[in-house]
Amino acid sequence: MGRRFFATASLALALVLSGGVPSAVGAPIPALPRPGGPATVVSVDELTPTRSALFIDSPAMGRIVQVQVLHPASEGPRPSFYLLDGVDSTDDESSWTKKTDIVDFVAGKNVNVVLPVGGMASYYTDWQKADPALGVNMWETFLTKELPPIIDGEMNGNGVRAIGGLSMGGQAALILTSRNPDLYRGSFVFSACPDTGSPASQNLVRVTVASRGGDATNMWGPASDPDWQAHDPWTNAERLRGKVLYMSVGNGVPGNNDFQGDIDAATVLSEGAPLEVGALICTKEFQSRLDSLGIPAQFVYRPIGTHSWPYWQDDLHDSWPTIERALTS
C-alpha cells in the first residue's frame, strides 16, 4: 500500500464521519492581520503558582491570542515544550488541560509546557487568506516568530524547544519542525498523518477543514499551489534529519480506556476505531519513508487503542523520557 492508497481510504472515512463536505458558514471575512511590530503581552493571569495564562497581542493574527503555560514555581532557566491541540481546539483553554492529567503530570518538572489556545481546524499554519468561518490564521508566524521570544523573556525559557501534538496538532508539529528545523530539537506526534502532498491526502485535509466549516483553499490554495508541497513532511522529510522524532499510534482495537467514565462506546466504534486504523497505516508508511532516507526515529505501535484522549494521555507519559532527552541533550 502506498501513500495514495492510505490517503484515498482516509478521505472516504473522513467523508463518512463528517457527513460530507459542508459549505463554509456565510459570514463577513475577518480583518486581515496588522503588519509590523513585535507581539506584546497584554496581561498575565496567574491561574496557580505553576500555571499562567498569557494574553498576547499578535500582529500576525490581528487579535489577542491566549497561551497557557505550565511551569515550575521556582525561577531559573528551563527548556520549553510546545504542545498542540486537535481539530476541535476551543478558545477557552487547551484540550490537554481539559481532558488529560497533564497539569499534575508535569508538576515538578523543570520545563515550560506551552499550550496555545484556539486554532480549530487551522493546522496551526499560515493561511493565504482569511476564512469566513475560521477567521484569520497565521499560526506558524505566531508560534515560530512571535511567541518564542515571549516565552523565553516572560517564562524563563532558555531557547531550547521541542514541539508535539495529537491528530491534527501532531501533523502540524511535524510540518512546523520540517519548515523550521533550527527552532525545534524534536517533534512528537500522536495518532497523526504527516502526508499532505498527494492529491488524495490534500482532499483529506480539505475534508477535515470543511468538517468545521472552513475552506482549505484559503489555507494553501488550489491543488496546483506549491504551498501544499511546501507543507508536506513526506516531501520535506530530509529537513527532519538530526531531530529527535517520536511517533505513536494505536491499531483501532478498543481497550479499557474506551469504556470508562462517560465515554460513548458507539462513538468509539464508529469513529475512534477507524480513524486510528487510518493513522496506523499512515504512520507505518511514514516510517518506511524515513527508513529509506536513513533518518532515525522512534515509532511506538500500541497493541490496542482508538483515536481518543485516554490514549494520548498515555502517549504523553510514555514519550516523556524522549521529550526530556530532546530538551536536555
Side-chain angles (χ1 to χ4, degrees), residues 86 96 147 234 293-294:
W96 281 102
L147 185 57
W234 178 289
L293 296 173

Side-chain angles (χ1 to χ4, degrees), residues 165-184:
L166 73 306
S167 194
M168 180 200 78
Q171 186 173 6
L174 209 54
I175 292 170
L176 290 169
T177 302
S178 67
R179 288 174 57 80
N180 303 274
D182 294 336
L183 195 64
Y184 306 109

